[in-house]
Amino acid sequence: MKLVNILKTVQGLGCRFYSRYPSSRIELPRIQLNLDFYLDPRNTEQIRENIRCRGSESSIDMVIQLKRQNVSEEQLMSELVKLPNMTHPSAQRLAEPRVVSRRDFAAPDHKIRSFEEISRILGGARLQNLSLFSGERTYYLTGVLAQLEQALINWTVDTLTAKGFQMISVPDILHPDIIERCGMNVRGERTQVYQLDPHFGQAALSGTAEMAIGGYLMSKRIENLPLKLCAVSRCYRAEASQSLQDKGLYRVHQFYKVEMFMVTKGAVDSSQAALQEILQIERDMFDQLGLSYQVLDMSPDELGDPASRKFDIEAWMPGRQFWGEISSCSDCTDYQARRLDIRDSENKFCHTVNGTACAVPRMIIALCEQRQTLNGSLSVPEVLQPYLGNISMLQGKPRKLRPNLVFVNSANFFEKSNKAS
């Protein structure tokens, strides 16, 4: 049997294949959860209710049963890590997301266009006929929209560094175990994680810079807290929504995002203060962009596994006629720190907090739809003008000056074109 067939057989049997490619295996720290809390009978009902409210498939009863059977710590931990973080008291009783604040949209007198219409007027995006070479839910930005993308990134980074965040450049390819320890499912049919072929070793595409920063801080002892980091990264998501609202640029497989990440002392007061700081930064930035948006305090079923408390920010998208998420921020308390061994100078587990400063595609949609003019041009927010050559209006080129791209759709395309001319 050929070697390649042997390797395929081994992988087909469900064995984890380690490449012979010259790279060392990842060494992960031992996961150290709070066993005193989880195994205390006085906390069982609280944990059980937390699991129910979050819609989690984990089971504290299975953990208790395994403990009674005196299984190994490794077996017990494999069940414990499935449990979601405990919900912050402020969100425990929320049956649905609660609107904290809202800045209403003042509709203009002229016709409201969708982003797809505006992008055609600006000649700045290609969102269709991409399946032949890049697949669906991908996109090209050109001209003024490509410039707007870079302006948003540069302005966001400048804003964050001015507020004390340190820049960090992160990899987009990570070991799946790092992603999993940050709280994102990497296996099964419902995963949004792209895993690469194991020929060059176990690797996956990162869904957010939060994961890469978590890996960077793994096994570190941090002296000066809070630590404030920000990163620009390409994010990869195996999105599968069929909703018409998610079409075009709204829900795509890869996009740029600027992420904030803070590490605090291992106390709820400290991480909640960091959460409020990040939320205020997000709100200040969206105010400066002149956006209409609402802030939501998320209910337990919307938190995912890592977050203890989470706020989402949704912008009104008049061309789509719905509130679309443009940002979020989460207090993960010690969920990630205990899985990645992130501690302070006193060897105590830290808390981690993260937030989206700018998810570029959705920010572009919100700006184009909310700040559109009568003829489909875009009124540029004052804070972005220095990053766009000090212009106040983004306008598309006249149709005659736009690139004329023609699809070659048959082998004798040019013969037919010559005859037609």
Side-chain angles (χ1 to χ4, degrees), residues 194-253:
Y194 284 109
Q195 295 218 38
L196 305 182
D197 188 285
H199 177 71
F200 294 109
Q202 295 293 310
L205 299 180
S206 175
T208 169
E210 169 196 344
M211 301 167 184
I213 295 175
Y216 173 78
L217 297 174
M218 184 174 68
S219 299
K220 282 188 169 54
R221 303 297 178 260
I222 304 171
E223 293 186 0
N224 299 316
L225 295 173
L227 175 65
K228 302 163 71 172
L229 301 173
C230 65
V232 180
S233 72
R234 194 76 163 167
C235 303
Y236 299 86
R237 310 276 177 90
E239 304 280 11
S241 171
Q242 300 299 318
S243 171
L244 290 177
Q245 291 181 335
D246 293 344
K247 67 179 181 179
L249 197 62
Y250 186 81
R251 192 175 298 279
V252 288
H253 287 316

Side-chain angles (χ1 to χ4, degrees), residues 87-103:
T87 305
H88 188 273
S90 299
Q92 283 177 350
R93 299 188 181 279
L94 294 178
E96 60 184 17
R98 177 177 64 91
V99 178
V100 177
S101 66
R102 174 179 294 170
R103 180 175 176 178

Side-chain angles (χ1 to χ4, degrees), residues 29 38-39 41 66 130 132 141 152-153 159 176 192 269 301 328 336 345 366 387 414-415:
Y38 287 116
L39 299 180
L66 291 174
L130 298 174
L132 293 177
L141 296 180
L152 281 167
I153 292 172
T159 300
Q192 292 189 10
D269 289 347
D301 60 317
S328 67
Q336 295 173 335
S345 57
Y387 300 86
F414 294 103
E415 295 177 10

Side-chain angles (χ1 to χ4, degrees), residues 1 26 70 155 202 223 226 256 268 277 290 319 327 348 351 409 419:
M1 184 181 292
I26 187 171
N70 291 319
W155 170 70
Q202 295 293 310
E223 293 186 0
Y256 279 111
V268 173
E277 179 179 349
S327 182
K348 296 178 180 178
H351 283 190
N409 53 17
K419 290 180 181 179

Side-chain angles (χ1 to χ4, degrees), residues 39 70 92 119 178 180 198 219 224-225 286 293 333 341 347 403 413:
L39 299 180
N70 291 319
Q92 283 177 350
S119 67
I178 296 293
E180 190 170 49
S219 299
N224 299 316
L225 295 173
F286 302 151
Y293 64 87
T333 61
D341 191 28
N347 212 34
F413 172 84

Side-chain angles (χ1 to χ4, degrees), residues 81-355:
V81 294
K82 299 176 184 178
L83 300 179
N85 200 350
M86 297 302 295
T87 305
H88 188 273
S90 299
Q92 283 177 350
R93 299 188 181 279
L94 294 178
E96 60 184 17
R98 177 177 64 91
V99 178
V100 177
S101 66
R102 174 179 294 170
R103 180 175 176 178
D104 290 324
F105 175 69
D109 296 332
H110 58 76
K111 171 189 173 183
I112 295 291
R113 294 180 170 89
S114 69
F115 169 75
E116 287 72 25
E117 293 178 278
I118 296 170
S119 67
R120 284 193 290 270
I121 293 172
L122 295 177
R126 180 175 170 186
L127 306 171
Q128 298 175 329
N129 299 318
L130 298 174
S131 59
L132 293 177
F133 50 90
S134 62
E136 296 300 329
R137 297 196 182 279
T138 56
Y139 62 94
Y140 283 82
L141 296 180
T142 60
V144 293
L145 290 185
Q147 295 170 28
L148 178 59
E149 177 181 62
Q150 293 303 312
L152 281 167
I153 292 172
N154 294 335
W155 170 70
T156 303
V157 169
D158 285 350
T159 300
L160 296 182
T161 53
K163 292 183 178 295
F165 283 81
Q166 303 173 46
M167 276 291 295
I168 178 172
S169 178
V170 298
D172 293 335
I173 300 177
L174 301 173
H175 193 284
D177 288 349
I178 296 293
I179 296 175
E180 190 170 49
R181 291 195 181 203
C182 286
M184 197 166 187
N185 176 36
V186 299
R187 298 175 179 84
E189 295 182 357
R190 299 179 64 183
T191 181
Q192 292 189 10
V193 177
Y194 284 109
Q195 295 218 38
L196 305 182
D197 188 285
H199 177 71
F200 294 109
Q202 295 293 310
L205 299 180
S206 175
T208 169
E210 169 196 344
M211 301 167 184
I213 295 175
Y216 173 78
L217 297 174
M218 184 174 68
S219 299
K220 282 188 169 54
R221 303 297 178 260
I222 304 171
E223 293 186 0
N224 299 316
L225 295 173
L227 175 65
K228 302 163 71 172
L229 301 173
C230 65
V232 180
S233 72
R234 194 76 163 167
C235 303
Y236 299 86
R237 310 276 177 90
E239 304 280 11
S241 171
Q242 300 299 318
S243 171
L244 290 177
Q245 291 181 335
D246 293 344
K247 67 179 181 179
L249 197 62
Y250 186 81
R251 192 175 298 279
V252 288
H253 287 316
Q254 69 281 317
F255 57 94
Y256 279 111
K257 181 159 71 79
V258 186
E259 184 78 359
M260 294 177 281
F261 194 98
M262 289 184 64
V263 184
T264 74
K265 293 181 179 180
V268 173
D269 289 347
S270 297
S271 55
Q272 279 293 294
L275 180 66
Q276 292 299 326
E277 179 179 349
I278 286 179
L279 176 61
Q280 190 59 53
I281 290 172
E282 293 171 343
R283 296 184 62 174
D284 289 345
M285 292 178 66
F286 302 151
D287 285 340
Q288 291 178 62
L289 291 173
L291 291 178
S292 164
Y293 64 87
Q294 63 180 10
V295 180
L296 303 175
D297 193 355
M298 303 307 288
S299 51
D301 60 317
E302 297 286 348
L303 295 178
D305 284 347
S308 173
R309 194 179 188 189
K310 177 185 176 188
F311 291 97
D312 277 5
I313 298 182
E314 298 176 339
W316 178 246
M317 299 187 174
R320 283 170 158 73
Q321 287 294 300
F322 81 104
W323 294 95
E325 181 187 341
I326 59 170
S327 182
S328 67
C329 53
S330 302
D331 178 2
C332 298
T333 61
D334 62 357
Y335 183 96
Q336 295 173 335
R338 286 183 174 274
R339 287 161 172 76
L340 295 169
D341 191 28
I342 303 172
R343 308 191 193 213
D344 61 20
S345 57
E346 298 177 355
N347 212 34
K348 296 178 180 178
F349 287 108
C350 297
H351 283 190
T352 58
V353 182
N354 65 80

